[in-house]
Amino acid sequence: MITLCGLTLSNYYNKVKLALLEKQIPFQEELVMTKSADEAVLSCSPLGKVPFLKTPQGPLCESQVIMDYLEAAYPEHPLLPADPFAAAKLRELTAFIELHLELVARELYAQAFFGGTVSESKQEWVRKTLDKNIPAFKRLARFAPYVGGETFTQADCAAWVSLPLVAMATKAVLGEDLLAAHGVDWKSHAKLVGERPAAQKVAADRKADTDRQMAAMKAKA
C-alpha cells in the first residue's frame, strides 16, 4: 500500500488526497510537518516539503509528479482524458492555477492567515501580478461546470484546494477578492466539487485536524 505523507492543512496534500480518493486507490496517511529536517523525511523529500508519497518502488515528492504517477500507475477511474493533447491542456490549466495564481497569492498568507505582516510593496506586487494573471487563467478555464469542462479531472483537484485560498488571501490583505473582481465564479465550483463524497472526506479530515490543533493551543495557553 502507498502512504501519503504530510498534513491536511496543506492544500497540495489535499489535492493529492482528493485524487487518491477519487481514483479509489487504497492508501494510508502519515503525519509529517512541512520543512522537516528529519533525515527520514529528507530522504523522501529533499527540501522537506509536503506532500510526498511512499510507494513500493520508493518515494516521490512534488504534488504534480505524484498526480501523474498515480494516473499512470492506476489507470482505473482516470482523472485525465486518454487523448494526449486534451490531457496536456488540463495539465496546463493546473500549472496556471498553481504557478500563476496560488504561488503569487501565497506571498500574502503570512498576513492573511498567520498573524504576520506583508509589506506594502509586496502587496502591490501581488495585486499587479494577479491583475495580469487572472484574466490569462480565464482564457483557459471553462467552468462548464468543472474547471476544464464537463468532467471532473486533475485540474479540479488543484482548483478546489487553491482557488479559495487565493480569494480569501486577497480579500483579507488587499480588501478585495481578486478572483471575483475579475469574474471568476470560484464559489460555484467549490460548492460543486464540495458535494463529491471524496471532497467531503478531505474537508472533514482537514476540519477535524484544525479543531484538534486549536484545542491543543488553547490547552497550552
Side-chain angles (χ1 to χ4, degrees), residues 12-184:
Y12 292 99
Y13 179 94
N14 288 328
K15 164 191 164 183
V16 174
K17 183 173 178 177
L18 179 57
L20 284 163
L21 292 168
E22 287 284 349
K23 291 178 70 61
Q24 301 178 32
I25 300 170
F27 70 102
Q28 58 190 8
E29 297 179 75
E30 179 180 328
L31 175 63
V32 175
M33 303 305 292
T34 188
K35 302 299 182 183
S36 170
D38 185 273
E39 182 57 35
V41 172
L42 296 178
S43 67
C44 297
S45 178
L47 289 174
K49 294 168 56 179
V50 297
F52 60 89
L53 200 70
K54 294 179 181 177
T55 80
Q57 294 78 33
L60 286 172
C61 61
E62 298 297 337
S63 68
Q64 193 55 43
V65 172
I66 294 170
M67 295 286 278
D68 289 339
Y69 162 76
L70 295 176
E71 197 66 16
Y74 301 89
E76 301 83 4
H77 311 290
L79 294 181
L80 287 176
D83 178 75
F85 183 78
K89 291 299 291 183
L90 289 166
R91 290 190 179 98
E92 177 185 59
L93 188 54
T94 296
F96 258 76
I97 292 168
E98 296 181 347
L99 299 179
H100 304 308
L101 300 183
E102 197 275 341
L103 192 61
V104 176
R106 185 169 286 261
E107 296 290 337
L108 305 176
Y109 290 4
Q111 182 169 326
F113 306 126
F114 303 113
T117 302
V118 177
S119 68
E120 291 290 336
S121 61
K122 180 62 71 174
Q123 291 182 36
E124 184 57 33
W125 176 84
V126 170
R127 180 184 289 276
K128 181 179 179 180
T129 305
L130 288 178
D131 279 342
K132 177 185 68 175
N133 291 0
I134 294 172
F137 164 69
K138 286 183 64 181
R139 291 179 178 274
L140 295 175
R142 295 176 61 189
F143 292 104
Y146 295 103
V147 70
E150 297 179 356
T151 305
F152 180 90
T153 69
Q154 278 190 7
D156 294 288
C157 295
W160 186 68
V161 299
S162 289
L163 293 185
L165 291 176
V166 175
M168 290 187 290
T170 55
K171 176 69 173 178
V173 180
L174 305 180
E176 183 179 26
D177 172 353
L178 291 186
L179 287 175
H182 283 281
V184 176

